Amino acid sequence: MRRRPLLLATCLALPVALGALTAGVLAQAEGERRFDAAAARIRAGLGPDGALEWTSRTIDPVSGRAVLQGVTIRRGAERMTVVDATLDDLRADGVGRALLNGVRVEAPDPDGGPRPMVATAVRLAFSALSLPTRADGPAVDWSGAAIEAAVGEELRVETPGVAVAELARMQVAGYAPGTLREAAIEGLRFVDRREGETRIGLARARLAGAALPRFGQPFDPWVLAADSALIEGAEVAVEKENVAFRLGRTQLDGWGEGRLATLAMAGLAVQGDAPNSGPFAAEVARIGFGGVALRDTAYAIAHNLNPPQGAPGQDQSAAIEGIALALGGTPVLSIAAIRGLNTWDAAAPGVEVGRLGVEGLRLDLPPEYGGAMLDSLGFKGIQGGLGVDTRLTRKEGRLVIEHFFIQADGMGRFGTTMDIRGFDVPVPGQPATDDPLALVSNWAVASMSLRYADQGLLRALVARQAAEERVPERQLRERYATMALRTPLPGAGRGKEAPGVTRVREAFASFARDLGTIELAIRPAKPVAFLQAMGFAGMPPDQAVRELNLTATATPPGR
């Protein structure tokens, strides 16, 4: 009686076991069928001179996972080997997951040299890899390839004795035909030994939200677009040119047609040894700008077209900070910051307001380029800045330079203002002109002023001349004032000068005596051609006074 329960259990378990065994056999058969189909597609894509081989394969009867050992793929002179490969979820058009260890690729030198190119990777991993079939056969349609994720570790490409590139890690996420969610690389090192050594290093780079050409399609760089791109720790050294470049970090957001970009760079440096001037070094601490149609501007420049213009309400800004230049180990130039802004006047619709400023400028000229002369006058360097404020009304074709100045602390300050009419902004996208005269041919000047305020430069020059001639400074200044009053001028007979010319003479004489401020202004009854206005200094004085309403005003120091 006790044997009956055992017999009953055996009868019940036997169909289950047979079913499981049958299911396992069927699962393994399905796995082998899928693998064989995938292998057949690869062989078809390799062509008649290609081959796919392995030393062993194992297919799990439950999951269908395929494990290969000693994989070799050949096509002509190209050869790829894989120590082991694990494939999950094989499909007719791709694979769910793939892991390749010990990858090696050998191919002929792309430059036709005798040494082969060798590429290796310690590990390659893929997930959700889709490889659709071409419409005209079983080969892969690479233009339709897609992948959810891919990782490569310790990659190396080398042409022995020529060049080598190494990459610690590469990662791709979310690639579909023409789009990429994210890609990143870390630890890039490249050395080219064809003409001395050229070394390139990159700590990290990342690309996100990108639009790319499809695989196999002609490459057009102007189709590229990206939400953001990042580069960190970039270095380039060219032994032949004896120059090295370093970039700490660059972040670019918004590259693409019709997009406004933002750029932030930090830690830019170039150093080397020039044949004529010797060692040099240049550094820029930070560069940034925003609201600029960078891609469209670059496209316009590359194709000799007028660049795009800002639209009302769109501000554009730029800043460069921490500029330094040294020659032969001696500082020559430093600038604390260059800042620019193009915005719109809220109280005057359609009026663009531009500002540009150079702050903390210091220039230490080498002795042979004027440094010795400045030193003899008591100036150890030039410190100061410059700036300009403008207002542009496109509809009226009017550009007003409200204030432009160049300041040299303790030396002098030069400034100018100008009101230009007929200022036509070039039409974006139209062919650009390289003729500067064509750009200004329609300009007319409604008013202009030039102003110089001495802060010590002219006084130092007069003091040195007075010491050399052994005369009092006041006597020397009076001599210059007399020259301003009595020097004959073309186009005017003695005693027959127009009153306006006499007043200009008197202003220059007053400036020569006091060395304060001198201002020249033209305010014609109606706007005159730009080139005519710029040439007023070469006109006969009577004509300048009559046609341009030229005036001069001198102001003593401190007023």
Side-chain angles (χ1 to χ4, degrees), residues 218-243:
F219 180 74
D220 181 0
W222 303 110
V223 175
L224 298 176
D227 291 340
S228 66
L230 170 69
I231 295 176
E232 291 181 337
E235 296 182 352
V236 179
V238 182
E239 184 179 49
K240 181 181 178 181
E241 304 295 335
N242 198 13
V243 63

Side-chain angles (χ1 to χ4, degrees), residues 169-224:
R169 181 179 174 85
M170 176 183 69
Q171 184 172 343
V172 175
Y175 173 79
T179 63
L180 174 67
R181 187 166 70 245
E182 183 178 7
I185 62 173
E186 298 176 4
L188 171 66
R189 186 182 74 89
F190 172 77
V191 179
D192 187 335
R193 300 186 178 90
R194 282 173 290 190
E195 296 183 14
E197 275 200 356
T198 297
R199 299 184 300 276
I200 300 175
L202 183 62
R204 180 171 177 259
R206 176 180 176 271
L207 183 67
L212 308 169
R214 291 170 174 248
F215 284 128
Q217 301 298 312
F219 180 74
D220 181 0
W222 303 110
V223 175
L224 298 176

Side-chain angles (χ1 to χ4, degrees), residues 108-179:
D109 186 341
D111 295 329
R115 289 165 290 197
M117 181 190 72
V118 179
T120 60
V122 171
R123 177 176 176 267
L124 297 176
F126 308 93
S127 65
L129 175 61
S130 175
L131 300 172
T133 303
R134 292 177 52 174
D136 57 353
V140 174
D141 178 10
W142 291 104
S143 67
I147 190 169
E148 177 56 30
V151 176
E153 296 178 351
E154 297 186 42
L155 292 85
R156 178 183 174 92
V157 179
E158 180 179 14
T159 299
V162 178
V164 59
E166 296 178 341
L167 188 61
R169 181 179 174 85
M170 176 183 69
Q171 184 172 343
V172 175
Y175 173 79
T179 63

Side-chain angles (χ1 to χ4, degrees), residues 347-362:
V351 176
E352 292 180 66
V353 178
R355 300 188 185 95
L356 176 66
V358 177
E359 306 167 3
L361 169 67
R362 180 175 179 85

